[in-house]
Amino acid sequence: MTKRILFILAVFAVVAWCREVPVRYWVVGESAEQEAIYVKTQHDTVYLRAPNAEELKLISSLDDAENNALQNTNGQEVEEDDDDDDALPAKDSTSVIMTDEVKKSMANGDEPQPAAVVDDGSGDDLETALEKEDVRLKHEEIAKIEEEIRQRDIRDSIEAANKNPFIKFFRLDLKRLYDMENKTMIDLTLSNYVVPEPVVDEEPEMELYPPGKANLLVLSNPEACSLFVNGIPLKQVAPDTIKNIKPGKYTISVMKVLKDVEWWGSTIVKINADSLNTVTIPVQRPSTRITLNTDPEAVEVFINKVPTENIMPQYMTDVVIEDVKPQASVDIYLRKVGYRDTMVTTEIKAFMPNFINVEMQPVLDDLPFIEEQKAFNAERSQRRTGRYMLLGSIAPFLAGGILWYFAERDWSDAADKKKAYNLSAFESEDTKKMVKDNHDLNHKGDIKGIVAASLGAVGLGLFTVGFIWSF
């Protein structure tokens, strides 16, 4: 039932955008084509209607144009009718009775004259006159009755046409159906068809910049540079004033062709409404770069990378990305809490500034979406912190290892001192010194060992927490 309703609505929508065209149709079993106005084909029924006076004139003009084109194709010249030149003199329809006098006058070269009507005197008879009057009255009555019948037939035909104005045919009963306006055959294999309205593609007029009451004086170095606002060219050359612009943030660019190469310069300008704004822009040596500006600012930028918790933003707007390789297509992802995520696909042209201006759509009444964005940023921050902790764990491990190495050396020296004074047979100053050195080395080694173990514990803790937070 739902599909049926949708189909009916679709048909109504199509019919609303259809148009009626003059056609020639040929019905199976008939020997000649006829002309009508095509309405539609619906459910295998072709709906036509009789043309009105205006449409008859249109059909006649289409016929004439088609015949003229055919004659021109065959090499024939189309002659226009001239009623004044081709008009023949009207002949007198009065009959001429060939009497002896007429024949004699014609033999002498005179024009024959029509014979006069001779009244035989029968009109003076009263009875004959009454009979003629009766006949005349009967003829008038018959003519009146015939006129009433004709008028009634006209009214009936008009009422019938108003009730059912269509001429209906089953589509397979037609041999052909020719669209005279578009000069194409209407496809009779279709069970539903209407002639659509021609689609006219109107290119929207590009707005150079939002109109306002502010002015901006642009100076360039060198002079005589073409002016651009947000990458849209103006029909102006610097130095010049951009008038009637709306206050706000714009990318103003200048371009000059030097040695057959385009030299560009650009800057971001915040235009105020209460003063004459002035900016000086020097052109720069040609290089391939991306000039990315967004509204609002401080938007995260990801180039050819889909934002995830493990991928950090590469840039923050507004930014000029230098030393970019020319590419046929590059995907730029933009993110900011409180705004819809945006992706821009563009071409990076060589030796061009490649202006990209994006106005992001704010999220107004979707609090759950904003909370998801905040949770995403929190998760990403935690993972970033975890990675920093993983990297930070390297230093304690390295420092602890070095201290442990020095502690091992102190303990080894202390063991050598102890072995030396244990081998001594008697107590001396050297023996006392070796005992003292043994104690000092053991103490230093113990301190270094404790510090090394502490650093190792810190490194292990950082590594463990960082590993957990990073994934």
Side-chain angles (χ1 to χ4, degrees):
M1 185 65 181
T2 305
K3 293 182 178 179
R4 184 182 181 89
I5 294 174
L6 292 176
F7 175 76
I8 294 173
L9 292 176
V11 170
F12 285 159
V14 171
V15 171
W17 291 98
C18 70
R19 59 195 177 101
E20 299 178 355
V21 294
V23 293
R24 284 201 296 264
Y25 66 95
W26 191 358
V27 182
V28 175
E30 294 186 1
S31 58
E33 290 183 318
Q34 300 184 43
E35 295 168 342
I37 301 297
Y38 176 81
V39 180
K40 62 181 176 179
T41 301
Q42 187 174 1
H43 302 307
D44 296 326
T45 301
V46 179
Y47 291 86
L48 309 175
R49 65 174 179 80
N52 55 32
E54 296 278 339
E55 292 165 341
L56 284 173
K57 291 181 181 179
L58 175 61
I59 291 174
S60 178
S61 64
L62 292 174
D63 280 334
D64 293 341
E66 189 173 346
N67 293 332
N68 293 340
L70 181 61
Q71 291 180 12
N72 291 332
T73 303
N74 295 333
Q76 303 176 6
E77 293 184 358
V78 181
E79 298 181 356
E80 296 182 358
D81 295 334
D82 191 350
D83 296 337
D84 295 336
D85 296 337
D86 298 339
L88 297 176
K91 294 183 179 180
D92 192 356
S93 61
T94 307
S95 61
V96 179
I97 301 175
M98 301 299 291
T99 60
D100 293 338
E101 290 79 3
V102 173
K103 290 179 181 180
K104 189 180 293 183
S105 63
M106 291 180 65
N108 295 331
D110 299 333
E111 290 291 334
Q113 299 295 326
V117 179
V118 180
D119 188 5
D120 57 359
S122 61
D124 297 333
D125 188 0
L126 179 60
E127 184 177 353
T128 303
L130 291 175
E131 289 179 356
K132 287 183 178 181
E133 183 65 18
D134 291 338
V135 172
R136 187 183 66 79
L137 292 175
K138 288 180 180 179
H139 283 304
E140 289 182 358
E141 187 176 355
I142 292 173
K144 185 177 180 180
I145 293 173
E146 289 177 349
E147 180 64 20
E148 290 179 355
I149 294 173
R150 190 174 69 83
Q151 294 294 334
R152 185 168 63 250
D153 290 340
I154 292 174
R155 288 195 301 270
D156 293 342
S157 62
I158 292 174
E159 291 178 0
N162 291 333
K163 290 181 179 178
N164 187 10
F166 299 116
I167 307 169
K168 299 179 183 179
F169 294 102
F170 181 58
R171 61 184 177 86
L172 299 181
D173 289 339
L174 294 171
K175 285 186 179 181
R176 52 179 273 169
L177 191 59
Y178 178 70
D179 184 348
M180 300 175 64
E181 183 177 293
N182 300 317
K183 297 180 175 57
T184 57
M185 301 296 297
I186 294 178
D187 191 356
L188 292 173
T189 62
L190 302 175
S191 60
N192 292 283
Y193 178 76
V194 294
V195 179
E197 288 282 352
V199 179
V200 180
D201 294 333
E202 295 183 358
E203 295 184 359
E205 184 178 353
M206 182 178 293
E207 188 179 63
L208 298 179
Y209 47 79
K213 297 182 179 180
N215 297 318
L216 175 65
L217 174 61
V218 181
L219 306 175
S220 64
N221 185 17
E223 296 183 347
C225 292
S226 301
L227 289 180
F228 296 77
V229 175
N230 290 340
I232 301 175
L234 306 180
K235 295 181 180 179
Q236 295 176 254
V237 176
D240 202 348
T241 301
I242 302 175
K243 298 180 179 180
N244 301 326
I245 187 172
K246 183 180 179 180
K249 184 181 71 172
Y250 299 91
T251 300
I252 308 299
S253 309
V254 295
M255 185 272 291
K256 190 175 182 67
V257 178
L258 300 173
K259 297 181 180 181
D260 297 330
V261 179
E262 293 182 356
W263 292 57
W264 288 81
S266 63
T267 186
I268 299 173
V269 178
K270 291 185 177 180
I271 300 177
N272 300 318
D274 56 352
S275 62
L276 177 62
N277 304 272
T278 304
V279 62
T280 302
I281 307 174
V283 297
Q284 299 177 2
R285 184 172 295 276
S287 64
T288 304
R289 57 185 182 273
I290 300 176
T291 306
L292 181 57
N293 301 320
T294 59
D295 185 13
E297 299 177 355
V299 175
E300 299 174 352
V301 180
F302 304 81
I303 298 179
N304 286 330
K305 292 182 180 179
V306 180
T308 65
E309 292 87 346
N310 296 319
I311 297 178
M312 305 303 164
Q314 299 164 292
Y315 306 96
M316 299 292 289
T317 61
D318 295 331
V319 63
V320 177
I321 305 173
E322 300 285 353
D323 301 326
V324 182
K325 293 183 179 180
Q327 303 176 46
S329 178
V330 61
D331 296 331
I332 300 177
Y333 297 88
L334 304 171
R335 282 195 75 258
K336 186 178 178 68
V337 175
Y339 294 84
R340 296 289 180 186
D341 296 350
T342 305
M343 186 192 76
V344 177
T345 302
T346 185
E347 177 187 3
I348 305 301
K349 297 181 180 179
F351 302 108
M352 297 288 287
N354 297 293
F355 301 106
I356 302 175
N357 299 279
V358 181
E359 183 176 354
M360 301 187 67
Q361 181 181 0
V363 179
L364 300 177
D365 299 325
D366 195 350
L367 294 179
F369 179 77
I370 297 177
E371 293 299 327
E372 289 179 4
Q373 287 183 320
K374 291 180 178 180
F376 178 91
N377 284 2
E379 178 69 18
R380 190 179 62 184
S381 299
Q382 179 177 311
R383 295 192 180 191
R384 179 169 54 184
T385 304
R387 293 182 180 182
Y388 289 156
M389 294 177 71
L390 281 176
L391 294 175
S393 65
I394 297 176
F397 276 127
L398 185 61
I402 294 173
L403 284 176
W404 190 266
Y405 169 76
F406 286 115
E408 287 287 345
R409 288 187 59 181
D410 290 341
W411 289 332
S412 177
D413 291 342
D416 291 341
K417 298 291 184 181
K418 184 177 182 181
K419 183 177 181 182
Y421 71 71
N422 285 335
L423 294 177
S424 178
F426 55 91
E427 184 176 352
S428 64
E429 292 295 328
D430 292 335
T431 304
K432 292 180 180 179
K433 186 175 184 307
M434 285 189 292
V435 172
K436 184 176 182 303
D437 290 341
N438 172 263
H439 286 287
D440 291 340
L441 290 171
N442 280 325
H443 181 67
K444 290 179 180 179
D446 292 340
I447 294 175
K448 292 178 182 178
I450 293 172
V451 174
S454 301
L455 290 174
V458 171
L460 181 61
L462 290 174
F463 179 83
T464 303
V465 176
F467 183 83
I468 294 173
W469 284 6
S470 296
F471 302 98

